[in-house]
Amino acid sequence: MSEARHDPATFEIVKNSLYKIAEEMRVVLAKTAYSPILKSAGDFSCGVFDAKGDMVAQGPDLPIHLGSMPDAVRAVAAAFGADVHDGDVFIHNDPYFGGSHLPDVNVVRPAFYEGQLLGFACLRAHWPDIGSATPGSYGAVTEIYGEGLRLPPVRLYSKGELNKALEDVILANVRTPDERKGDLGSQLAATLRATERLQGLAKRYGPDRLIAYMAEVMEYSGRLMRAALKQLPDGEGYFEDFCDGDGIPDAPDGSDAPFWIRMRIKKTGDRILVDFAGSDPQVAGPMNAALSVSASGVYCGLKTAIDPNSLIPPNSGCWRAIEVTAPKGSVVNAEFPAPVVYSNHEISHRTADMCMGALSAFLPDQVMACSQGTSAVLTLGGVDPRTGNRYVSYETIKGGLGARPNKDGINVIASGISNTMNTPVEVLEMAFPVRVEHYTIEPDSGGAGRFRGGAGARRRWRMLEGADAVGALCMERMTSPPFGLRGGEAGIAATVTVTTPDGAVRSLPSKGAFKAPGGAVIDMVTPGSGGYGPPAERDPAALGRDLLDGYVTADAARAAYGAPDPNALLEQAKKDDSK
C-alpha cells in the first residue's frame, strides 16, 4: 500500500491542491490574455500532468480538450525523453503528435524540484488565427498542409532562454502577431504559476511523496470509475448517425456529400468498450479526427452518463476503464496528411452525443437527448476601417442542451463537449468592425417531448461600412437535426444566410469560406436539441410555461404536443406566474 493511502487526510489536501493549481492557471490566463475568445469566451484548458504525460488534474475547462491533452504532453515526453531541463518550455499543435487541430496551441512546461522532474503543466489555448489562406484558419482544404502553421513538439525556451528565431517564425505566420504574442505570453505566465505551485507542494511534502500522491490521485479516480460501472447493468448498444459533409462539394449533384459514423458500446462488469467499426473512411475535407479527438468526445459522453453527479475526479486514471477502438484511416481515426481543423469540435460533439444514443439501449434513465451537436463556428477577418489594423474574429455560437429523463434541456448554452462562454456583445463590437443586431432564443427550436429540448438562438451580425471581410463557417446539424430519445422529437436544424448590400440573399453551406462585404448581414439560427419521451406525456402546466416564456408557439403546441387549446394553457400559466 502506498504512503498516499496510509494518510488519507494529506491525500485529500494534495489532491485538492493539484486541482486548484489547474484552476489557478485558468485565472492567470483569463486575466492576461489578449484575444476575446480566450479572455471572454474561455476557449482554453489547463492541466497538471505526471512525468509520463498522464493527466493528474484538470481545470473546470473544456471536455473537448481535456480528453486528448494527455496525448499532447506524452508527445513532448516521447520526443525529448531525458533531455528536459528546468526552465524549458515546449510548444506544439500537431494533431498527429497529440494535438487536436492547428489553432489549439499547447504550451507545456516541466516542473522541477532540486533537479528532480515532478511532472508538467500544459495549457491548450485556441488561437484565433494560425495562418492558412483563410482568416481564422478555417478554410475547407484537402491536406493538413493548407490549414496553417504546424508545429511538432519543439523547445521554445531552453533552460530559461527564449528561442527567438522560433518565436519569429511563429509570429511571421499569423495575421495578428501582436495579439498572438500576447496570448502566448499569457500561456507562459499561467504554466509558470502552475510549476511554482508544484514546487511549493514538493517543498512541503518532498518530491517523492508528491509524485506518489499524484499517482494515487489517478488510481483513486480509476477505482471510483470501476465501482460506478459495476453498479450499472451490463449491456450493449449501437448507434449510427450521419454528418452533413466535410466542406468539399463531392456529391454527384455538386453538393457536399454526407458521411456516416457508427458506434457500438459494450459494458461488462467494470469495463466499457467503444468501437467505431463500420464508420466511413476518412474524407477529403477537414472533418477527419485523430483517434484522441474522437475518444475525447467518448470520454465526455460516458462520464456524463455514468457519473451524473460528477463525483469522480476526471483525469487519466478515470479513463483506464474505457477502451476506444476505430479502424485506421477512418473519419474517426484519420491518418496523415488528412485535414482535421473542423473535426476537433464537430466529431467530438458527434461522438459524445452518439454515446447517449448507444447507451439508451440499456441505460435509458442516465442519458440525454442530442444537444446542439456543433460548435457553430463563425470567423471573420480583414482590415478594421476604424484603425487600419488587421483583425480576426472567432466565435462559437450557442444552441440547445438535450432534454434529460427528468427535466427539460437548457436554452442557448455551450453543450456537450464544449464549455465556452458568450463573448459579450460590447467586447465583440469594440474589438471588431461588426454590430450584433439580434440575439434571441428561437421559438419552437427545442425538440418536443415529455421533457422539451433546449432551444437554439437566432443571431444577426452586420459588417460596418468599409469593413470588407472574409468569413468562414463550420456548422453541423444543418441537414442532420439533433435527435430525440425514447419517443422525443428532434430539435430544429441550423440555417445561415448572408445578405449583401444589394439585397441579394444566399444560404451558406455548412462549411467553408465566404465573402462578407461592408454592410453585409449574416443571419444564423443555431440548432435546438432533442426532446426526451413522447410529447403527448408533457405536463400541461409545463407546456403552458413554455407558451408564456415564448419557447413554444401556439401552433407548435397544437401540432407537436396535441394541445387542443393552447390559449387556455397560456392563461393558466399567467395566473400561476402571478401568485
Side-chain angles (χ1 to χ4, degrees), residues 385-418:
R386 301 170 301 179
T387 63
N389 296 328
R390 279 193 175 275
Y391 74 92
V392 177
S393 168
Y394 178 102
E395 287 189 86
T396 67
I397 313 304
K398 319 314 176 195
L401 180 80
R404 282 73 58 85
N406 58 350
K407 62 181 70 175
D408 293 342
I410 304 173
N411 303 324
V412 192
I413 189 172
S415 59
I417 52 83
S418 183

Side-chain angles (χ1 to χ4, degrees), residues 220-272:
Y220 173 75
S221 290
R223 290 196 300 274
L224 290 179
M225 176 61 82
R226 292 190 298 273
L229 286 170
K230 281 184 178 179
Q231 294 175 8
L232 300 175
D234 290 346
E236 188 169 343
Y238 176 82
F239 200 84
E240 62 180 22
D241 202 4
F242 71 92
C243 294
D244 296 350
D246 63 351
I248 305 297
D250 49 6
D253 63 357
S255 63
D256 188 357
F259 61 89
W260 286 83
I261 300 175
R262 297 175 175 89
M263 171 192 288
R264 188 174 300 278
I265 294 180
K266 184 176 182 179
K267 186 264 173 184
T268 307
D270 62 356
R271 299 285 301 174
I272 194 161

Side-chain angles (χ1 to χ4, degrees), residues 46 53-54 95 207 216 240 244 254 319 498 527:
C46 311
D54 288 335
E216 180 57 23
E240 62 180 22
D244 296 350
W319 315 134
V498 172

Side-chain angles (χ1 to χ4, degrees), residues 298-323:
V298 168
Y299 296 151
C300 174
L302 293 181
K303 177 71 160 54
T304 303
I306 295 166
D307 181 32
N309 295 315
S310 196
L311 299 177
I312 305 172
N315 55 40
S316 290
C318 188
W319 315 134
R320 290 170 184 167
I322 301 168
E323 182 181 359

Side-chain angles (χ1 to χ4, degrees), residues 4 14-15 34 67 73 97 107 109 124 146 171 207 223 241 311 345 349 389 435 459 475 497 543:
V14 174
K15 173 172 67 71
Y34 280 42
V73 182
F97 282 93
V107 169
R109 186 189 291 268
R124 175 177 290 180
L171 298 179
R223 290 196 300 274
D241 202 4
L311 299 177
H345 37 82
H349 262 298
N389 296 328
R435 292 289 179 267
R459 186 171 169 114
M475 174 86 85
T497 62
L543 185 55

Side-chain angles (χ1 to χ4, degrees), residues 380-553:
L380 296 167
V383 176
D384 190 335
R386 301 170 301 179
T387 63
N389 296 328
R390 279 193 175 275
Y391 74 92
V392 177
S393 168
Y394 178 102
E395 287 189 86
T396 67
I397 313 304
K398 319 314 176 195
L401 180 80
R404 282 73 58 85
N406 58 350
K407 62 181 70 175
D408 293 342
I410 304 173
N411 303 324
V412 192
I413 189 172
S415 59
I417 52 83
S418 183
N419 193 28
T420 56
M421 297 170 284
N422 278 295
T423 300
V425 168
E426 297 83 355
V427 171
L428 191 76
E429 293 180 346
M430 285 192 297
F432 310 117
V434 298
R435 292 289 179 267
V436 177
E437 297 184 339
H438 194 89
Y439 193 22
T440 59
I441 294 173
E442 180 71 0
D444 300 332
S445 56
R450 181 191 312 125
F451 296 102
R452 175 185 48 77
R458 180 177 291 271
R459 186 171 169 114
R460 171 178 289 177
W461 299 259
R462 183 181 296 274
M463 304 304 303
L464 299 185
E465 293 297 328
D468 295 347
V470 174
L473 180 68
C474 179
M475 174 86 85
E476 271 292 312
R477 299 297 184 188
M478 294 183 79
T479 60
S480 57
F483 56 82
L485 286 179
R486 314 296 290 187
E489 296 184 0
I492 67 162
T495 60
V496 187
T497 62
V498 172
T499 304
T500 49
D502 60 3
V505 182
R506 69 183 181 97
S507 296
L508 290 178
S510 66
K511 301 167 191 75
F514 63 93
K515 291 184 178 180
V521 173
I522 303 166
D523 284 290
M524 176 186 291
V525 176
T526 60
S529 60
Y532 191 101
E537 297 179 4
R538 185 156 181 78
D539 180 0
L543 185 55
R545 289 193 297 272
D546 286 342
L547 291 162
L548 180 62
D549 292 331
Y551 302 153
V552 175
T553 64

Side-chain angles (χ1 to χ4, degrees), residues 142 166 272 282 355 374 378 394 415 433 523 575:
T142 57
L166 175 59
I272 194 161
Q282 62 191 52
C355 281
T374 179
L378 175 70
Y394 178 102
S415 59
D523 284 290
K575 291 179 182 179

Side-chain angles (χ1 to χ4, degrees), residues 167-212:
E167 182 188 57
D168 290 345
V169 168
I170 294 170
L171 298 179
N173 279 275
V174 297
R175 288 175 172 82
T176 49
D178 290 343
E179 188 179 78
R180 298 290 68 72
K181 186 172 184 177
D183 287 342
L184 176 57
S186 298
Q187 291 177 266
L188 292 168
T191 53
L192 178 61
R193 177 66 61 85
T195 57
E196 290 172 345
R197 296 301 192 214
L198 282 172
Q199 289 162 355
L201 288 176
K203 182 177 181 180
R204 180 175 181 180
Y205 298 106
D208 292 333
R209 287 184 71 198
L210 175 60
I211 291 169

